[in-house]
Amino acid sequence: MGINRMSRYHQTGVLGRIRDFIDHFAGRSPSRFASIVFTGLILIFTLLFSLPIASADGTATKLADALFTATSVICVTGLSTVDMATHWSPFGHTLVFIGVQIGGLGVLTLASIMGLVIARRLGLRAKLMAASDSNPLRLHSGPVAEGQAVRLGEIGGLLATVAISAAVIELALAILMFPRLLLANVPIGDAVWHSFYWAAMAFTNTGFSPDVAGLTPFANDYWFLTVILIGVFLGSIGFPVIYALSRGWRRPRRLPLHAKLTLLTWLVLFVIGALVFLLLEFDNPKTFGALGGGDTIFQSFFLSGMTRSAGFAVIDIGQMNGSSLLVGDMLMFIGGGSASTAGGIKVTTLAVLFLAAFAEARGQESMSAFGRKIPGDVLRLAVSVVLWGATTVAVSSILILHISNEPFEYVLFDVISAFATCGLSTGLTERLPDAAVYVLAATMFMGRVGTVTLAAALAASQRRQLFQYSEERPIVG
């Protein structure tokens, strides 16, 4: 009896020390923790996708395809090197469904939710860890002094909102899609599975399809496409915005600045993107040219919404005009809202850059919006995000161009789609050699983990500067 007690005590002590170490490491460096956990998940899912049981024909999937699929799933991208509908077995499709749920919520958020469920409380470290997932400004110094979109004391409410909203929204989307699938003569069992699959792929902005035909059977079903578009919108605005709307939808003027900037910029880009696609593609016989006026308008808005990070497409992206591909590049690079299932540099980053430019043009020392002053460190972070994002896209494009010798506009489109975890493709990804596939997988990882987060993770230490240099102004512009 005594030996059993000692053994149990020793086991609890070892597990406790491991748990305490992980908790301390995660709270001290959320960025490194996120990178390590994302990497671990990708490796685990790569192994699972490599198993013969995961493929439809019962053979092992080669490493390049398994790794790329795992990265695309965990990073909720939607690009693939295999036919996702036919290559995987039911076990493989289950892995895809589970993987996008994990990747869509975010590793730090998911870890905090699990800790909240297990311990029934959130300690300070867990709050800081979850806060870092919703605001990169907290990566270096914890909670900052100025007002936040979500304050540290509200993290528990945010986590509850994340868990509940994800479940409720996906369930609602599935219920709305289910009757349309039955009308399309889909067997009832498949209709149930497909409705939840489509709902998950829409809300997580992934874009995989459970059927070989994809959205083609629903190209003229505006109910089904609208439900998809609503799911993409709710997933791409971000959980802090959903949390803010759940608390203050009756008083829009009292919404946090982050929510206002996200919603306004998202809608402006949505409308502008649709108008530009309409003008550039209305006479293209391979895309919108054969459609009627109303159909062309709807499909333009649908395509604009999908460039937020969704990856669903009714038309053949590879048949679009070069000018339209460039517009798609820009919209995908911007992406969706912060702390959302979407990728890109985020719409608030673009908004902050424009606000800074307007303030400079007016000769103002600081930038502001909706009666609120935006501090300078937000602008520095925005510039860093754009710079590192552009560098990632440039390096990846150069490498893939050198490896594949494919047309530049196709390579740039698919690389930005990978970085922005969008999933739209010109068809290039499926025919890339393995070396280019690994480059594109790394690009997806950089885009989802976040260039700023990854840069912070690779930093050896956080140094305090105890002195200041003398000031001198270089010539800019």
Side-chain angles (χ1 to χ4, degrees):
M1 180 72 77
I3 295 177
N4 290 336
R5 287 179 180 175
M6 290 295 293
S7 177
R8 202 178 303 123
Y9 173 78
H10 178 70
Q11 185 178 15
T12 304
V14 172
L15 293 177
R17 285 195 294 271
I18 294 175
R19 185 180 63 249
D20 291 341
F21 171 77
I22 294 175
D23 179 63
H24 176 73
F25 179 71
R28 191 180 133 197
S29 182
S31 56
R32 292 180 183 177
F33 181 71
S35 302
I36 291 173
V37 173
F38 254 95
T39 303
L41 284 171
I42 289 173
L43 293 177
I44 292 172
F45 273 77
T46 298
L47 175 62
L48 293 175
F49 280 122
S50 300
L51 297 176
I53 192 178
S55 65
D57 59 5
T59 61
T61 302
K62 70 175 184 177
L63 177 60
D65 293 335
L67 175 62
F68 191 88
T69 302
T71 307
S72 186
V73 166
I74 297 299
C75 296
V76 290
T77 303
L79 290 174
S80 62
T81 55
V82 299
D83 189 327
M84 295 295 292
T86 60
H87 180 82
W88 304 111
S89 66
F91 176 74
H93 286 298
T94 303
L95 290 177
V96 173
F97 185 84
I98 295 173
V100 298
Q101 301 290 355
I102 296 173
L105 294 182
V107 172
L108 299 184
T109 299
L110 187 63
S112 300
I113 292 175
M114 292 174 63
L116 179 62
V117 172
I118 295 172
R120 298 185 180 180
R121 60 182 294 274
L122 276 179
L124 179 59
R125 290 190 185 277
K127 288 183 178 181
L128 289 174
M129 184 171 66
S132 299
D133 208 21
S134 64
N135 187 354
L137 286 172
R138 291 183 168 110
L139 283 173
H140 302 286
S141 57
V144 289
E146 73 273 3
Q148 296 287 340
V150 181
R151 295 178 177 84
L152 196 62
E154 300 172 334
I155 293 299
L158 174 61
L159 294 177
T161 300
V162 169
I164 295 173
S165 64
V168 171
I169 291 173
E170 289 187 16
L171 177 61
L173 294 174
I175 291 174
L176 292 174
M177 292 178 186
F178 180 69
R180 310 303 291 188
L181 292 170
L182 291 180
L183 291 175
N185 297 321
V186 178
I188 186 169
D190 291 339
V192 172
W193 165 244
H194 287 186
S195 61
F196 278 98
Y197 193 95
W198 282 114
M201 298 306 153
F203 181 69
T204 60
N205 280 215
T206 306
F208 288 135
S209 170
D211 187 69
V212 179
L215 280 178
T216 302
F218 307 99
N220 298 317
D221 189 340
Y222 290 160
W223 173 271
F224 194 87
L225 295 182
T226 300
V227 173
I228 290 284
L229 186 56
I230 291 173
V232 170
F233 168 74
L234 294 174
S236 65
I237 60 175
F239 292 110
V241 176
I242 295 176
Y243 177 65
L245 290 174
S246 69
R247 300 181 62 204
W249 62 274
R250 294 182 178 178
R251 297 180 179 179
R253 293 184 179 180
R254 294 191 178 183
L255 289 175
L257 176 60
H258 170 76
K260 293 178 180 178
L261 284 179
T262 299
L263 292 173
L264 177 61
T265 310
W266 198 101
L267 292 174
V268 168
L269 291 174
F270 177 58
V271 174
I272 292 177
L275 292 176
V276 174
F277 283 132
L278 178 64
L279 292 174
L280 296 178
E281 291 292 322
F282 79 96
D283 59 348
N284 185 348
K286 297 179 180 179
T287 55
F288 296 161
L291 302 178
D295 294 336
T296 301
I297 292 174
F298 180 88
Q299 294 297 347
S300 298
F301 277 98
F302 185 80
L303 180 59
S304 179
M306 295 307 103
T307 56
R308 289 281 70 76
S309 186
F312 293 109
V314 177
I315 62 173
D316 186 350
I317 299 297
Q319 298 298 329
M320 292 171 60
N321 294 321
S323 55
S324 300
L325 290 177
L326 183 58
V327 172
D329 291 338
M330 293 187 288
L331 292 175
M332 290 189 300
F333 187 74
I334 296 169
S338 300
S340 71
T341 60
I345 63 170
K346 305 299 189 281
V347 293
T348 44
T349 302
L350 179 69
V352 167
L353 293 177
F354 269 100
L355 290 172
F358 292 152
E360 185 65 27
R362 295 171 184 171
Q364 299 174 346
E365 292 185 1
S366 61
M367 53 182 171
S368 60
F370 298 102
R372 292 289 186 270
K373 177 183 176 182
I374 301 176
D377 58 347
V378 178
L379 176 59
R380 290 196 298 271
L381 180 59
V383 173
S384 300
V385 168
V386 174
L387 179 61
W388 282 105
T391 302
T392 301
V393 169
V395 172
S396 299
S397 298
I398 292 171
L399 291 174
I400 293 178
L401 278 168
H402 179 72
I403 295 170
S404 65
N405 293 319
E406 293 283 351
F408 170 73
E409 59 186 10
Y410 287 178
V411 170
L412 182 63
F413 189 93
D414 278 40
V415 165
I416 293 180
S417 181
F419 169 77
T421 67
C422 179
L424 291 175
S425 176
T426 59
L428 170 71
T429 300
E430 296 180 359
R431 61 177 184 266
L432 286 176
D434 289 352
V437 167
Y438 292 130
V439 173
L440 209 58
T443 306
M444 288 190 291
F445 179 83
M446 289 286 290
R448 184 56 182 166
V449 172
T451 50
V452 171
T453 302
L454 194 60
L458 296 177
S461 62
Q462 300 174 9
R463 295 182 300 173
R464 277 178 145 186
Q465 188 168 320
L466 302 178
F467 61 91
Q468 288 185 346
Y469 293 106
S470 58
E471 184 178 280
E472 186 172 346
R473 296 177 180 272
I475 300 173
V476 176

